[in-house]
Amino acid sequence: MKAAILGAGAMGKVLAQTIEEQEGISLAAMIEPRNGEKLHDIKETVDVVIDFSNPENLEMLMDFCIARKCPAVIATTGFSLEQQQMITDTAQQVPVVFAANFSLGITVMKRILSEIAPILEDSFDMEVIEKHHNKKLDAPSGTAKMLVSAINSRGDYEEVHGREGNRRRGKEIGIHAIRGGTIAGEHDVIFAGEDEILEIKHTAGSKKIFAAGAVKAARFAQTAEPGLYDMEDVLFGGK
């Protein structure tokens, strides 16, 4: 399998190294749009494109994958609603794995939260805290939004982003974003009940975990039917 990487930043470089270290996958090209490079410049065969770049590159990515009939693994966050619809439309023609976080641990954490939240929600308050490096643009993180969606699947809770002023807590989930230093990524979900606290936390030690997950998703996408998938499909079985 030959993979093209969209985005030659820090994450792209880690991904390239991960690909070099694994069997059955090789690097076809690394494209950096900020340098004027385009996916359509690639002459050789591409079996999958892994995107760790910027939302502004989405149209180029989708056009390329449709033209080459190759899957896409999208690890970029911060898309608009219109862009999310573009991803959905493209997935009708080629396999697309789209997730806010490609860590295997986060994927399992999401599954756990979706199962325990309905059990605890009547007697526990729920809070989500996420921490990232000072270069991250979007807040809260796409991963935090994904985790909140897992525990608020029915939309029964108001999602409160930070707090200020004087008011009593309502039926809500607090979401808090911290930016500083070189934090690779921390996500902490707190269930606070009467006289007891349950915390489920994930800490990313380096970017390598996201690269490993993206390669796993690429292997899945190569044999998948057209459709929109996430990391739960990759780990627990596709649609």
Side-chain angles (χ1 to χ4, degrees):
M1 175 172 60
K2 292 187 177 181
I5 299 174
L6 182 57
M11 193 61 237
K13 291 181 175 63
V14 172
L15 177 58
Q17 181 180 352
T18 300
I19 289 174
E20 290 177 0
E21 295 171 350
Q22 295 202 17
E23 296 182 357
I25 184 171
S26 61
L27 183 60
M30 181 184 290
I31 299 299
E32 180 47 75
R34 291 176 297 183
N35 296 335
E37 299 170 359
K38 294 178 171 50
L39 284 169
H40 289 284
D41 295 334
I42 303 174
K43 303 303 181 185
E44 63 179 290
T45 299
V46 174
D47 297 309
V48 63
V49 181
I50 305 176
D51 172 33
F52 274 101
S53 63
N54 187 287
E56 66 186 22
N57 301 317
L58 179 66
E59 186 172 355
M60 173 175 62
L61 171 62
M62 298 291 89
D63 288 347
F64 178 85
C65 289
I66 291 173
R68 294 288 188 100
K69 304 297 183 184
C70 73
V73 174
I74 304 176
T76 299
T77 59
F79 292 110
S80 67
L81 291 177
E82 290 78 11
Q83 289 175 315
Q84 292 177 39
Q85 185 60 52
M86 184 186 301
I87 292 171
T88 300
D89 293 342
T90 300
Q92 296 179 16
Q93 302 183 58
V94 297
V96 177
V97 180
F98 176 38
N101 192 304
F102 278 79
S103 156
L104 305 187
I106 281 287
T107 305
V108 174
M109 181 178 178
K110 178 186 174 186
R111 174 64 69 93
I112 292 170
L113 291 173
S114 67
E115 293 183 359
I116 68 172
I119 300 171
L120 301 178
E121 62 183 4
D122 290 337
S123 53
F124 285 72
D125 296 321
M126 297 173 287
E127 299 280 304
V128 176
I129 303 171
E130 58 98 345
K131 305 174 186 177
H132 282 89
H133 53 85
N134 57 21
K135 300 293 192 300
K136 185 168 178 61
L137 299 178
D138 56 317
S141 68
T143 301
K145 292 178 181 178
M146 179 179 71
L147 297 178
V148 170
S149 178
I151 62 181
N152 192 28
S153 59
R154 298 191 302 271
D156 293 338
Y157 287 78
E158 179 186 2
E159 297 175 8
V160 177
H161 297 270
R163 290 192 178 84
E164 185 178 7
N166 300 308
R167 74 178 183 94
R168 289 186 177 276
R169 181 189 179 95
K171 189 172 183 179
E172 63 192 45
I173 299 172
I175 307 166
H176 312 277
I178 295 171
R179 297 289 176 268
T182 58
I183 303 171
E186 293 184 15
H187 293 84
D188 190 7
V189 179
I190 302 170
F191 293 87
E194 186 171 353
D195 299 328
E196 60 179 330
I197 297 173
L198 171 64
E199 288 190 51
I200 301 177
K201 183 175 182 177
H202 180 273
T203 300
S206 76
K207 294 181 173 64
K208 292 180 181 179
I209 63 171
F210 309 120
V215 170
K216 192 174 186 69
R219 295 186 191 278
F220 168 88
Q222 189 185 24
T223 59
E225 295 294 323
L228 184 60
Y229 304 93
D230 60 19
M231 281 301 288
E232 286 199 66
D233 296 313
V234 173
L235 290 192
F236 303 115
K239 295 176 176 64

